[in-house]
């Protein structure tokens, strides 16, 4: 039953780990059904991403219940690239990869429990996450079809960098980037 007005708040990595079971449930509820049809094992990547250093996290709560989350981190150019990252770089190309991907903040995931959708929680999680970022740009990948996430990103000024087979089973994804509207001279993600 949907009862309390949700609160969006920043949490630590430890805070995310404490609620990882609920995060997984929201991810599975959000991305297994059509039209997304993600591989159930795709959550393992997100769980590993949450454990990486330098992450920034937001959670939406209604009382004690986690009803949504957002996660991302700055991508360091010095990190050993995976096959997935090499495909990302190939598809974006120069100079965009140098300006928009390397050493910039990447949103890994934003998800809201189905019963809480349509209440602007995705937008609040998105905005809360980006307000804490200190990179001049951010990037993400998303689905290439009309869905709430793509609508949100368009409304928030995200621009298309390219597309590539970056999803489960090599499915197509859009690569978006956005200039951030804050003082980027401070250190941090």
């Amino acid at each position: 039953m949907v009862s309390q007005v949700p609160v969006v708040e920043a949490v630590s990595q430890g805070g995310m780990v404490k609620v990882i079971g609920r995060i997984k449930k929201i991810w599975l509820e959000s991305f297994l059904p059509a039209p997304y049809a993600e591989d159930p094992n795709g959550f393992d990547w997100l769980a590993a991403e949450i454990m990486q250093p330098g992450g920034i996290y937001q959670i939406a709560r209604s009382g004690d219940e986690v009803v949504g989350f957002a996660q991302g981190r700055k991508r360091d150019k010095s990190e050993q690239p995976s096959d997935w990252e090499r495909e990302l770089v190939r598809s974006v190309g120069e100079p965009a990869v140098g300006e928009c991907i390397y050493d910039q903040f990447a949103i890994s995931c934003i998800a809201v429990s189905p019963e809480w959708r349509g209440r602007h929680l995705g937008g609040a999680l998105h905005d809360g996450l980006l307000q804490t970022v200190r990179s001049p740009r951010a990037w993400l990948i998303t689905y290439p079809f009309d869905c709430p996430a793509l609508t949100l990103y368009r409304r928030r000024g995200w621009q298309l960098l390219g597309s590539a087979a970056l999803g489960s089973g090599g499915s197509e994804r859009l690569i978006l980037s956005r200039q951030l509207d804050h003082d980027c001279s401070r250190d941090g993600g």
Side-chain angles (χ1 to χ4, degrees):
M1 180 177 167
V2 176
S3 57
Q4 296 185 339
V5 174
V7 173
V8 174
E9 60 189 2
V11 295
S12 67
Q13 183 180 46
M16 284 291 277
V17 170
K18 284 180 184 176
V19 295
I20 197 74
R22 182 65 183 143
I23 299 295
K24 181 175 184 176
K25 183 176 188 303
I26 293 168
W27 189 90
L28 293 170
E29 291 172 342
S30 297
F31 299 113
L32 288 188
Y36 307 103
E38 289 289 342
D39 179 334
N41 295 320
F43 180 79
D44 295 343
W45 174 84
L46 180 62
E49 187 68 14
I50 289 169
M51 298 310 297
Q52 292 292 321
I56 297 176
Y57 316 95
Q58 295 278 315
I59 288 180
R61 293 183 191 271
S62 175
D64 291 334
E65 181 186 11
V66 175
V67 299
F69 70 93
Q71 189 273 335
R73 69 181 176 95
K74 186 175 180 178
R75 298 296 187 198
D76 188 338
K77 186 177 181 176
S78 67
E79 290 180 44
Q80 182 66 29
S82 65
D83 289 342
W84 183 91
E85 289 162 326
R86 282 189 281 280
E87 176 61 18
L88 170 74
V89 167
R90 185 203 61 73
S91 65
V92 171
E94 291 293 339
V97 73
E99 295 172 11
C100 302
I101 303 294
Y102 287 143
D103 296 327
Q104 303 301 330
F105 186 79
I107 293 179
S108 302
C109 190
I110 299 173
V112 175
S113 186
E115 64 268 19
W116 287 91
R117 292 189 189 141
R119 299 165 190 253
H120 307 286
L121 284 178
L125 288 161
H126 168 278
D127 297 348
L129 191 66
L130 291 183
Q131 286 173 1
T132 63
V133 172
R134 299 298 169 247
S135 300
R137 297 194 71 82
W139 64 275
L140 57 82
I141 66 165
T142 193
Y143 299 93
F145 47 81
D146 189 28
C147 62
L150 189 54
T151 300
L152 170 69
Y153 301 143
R154 287 180 175 149
R155 287 183 181 157
R156 296 297 201 275
W158 291 83
Q159 301 294 313
L160 180 66
L161 285 178
S163 63
L166 297 169
S168 295
S171 57
E172 194 74 10
R173 295 293 186 266
L174 301 178
I175 306 155
L176 306 179
S177 178
R178 180 182 157 194
Q179 181 73 35
L180 299 179
D181 303 324
H182 53 63
D183 176 8
C184 300
S185 63
R186 293 174 278 180
D187 291 332

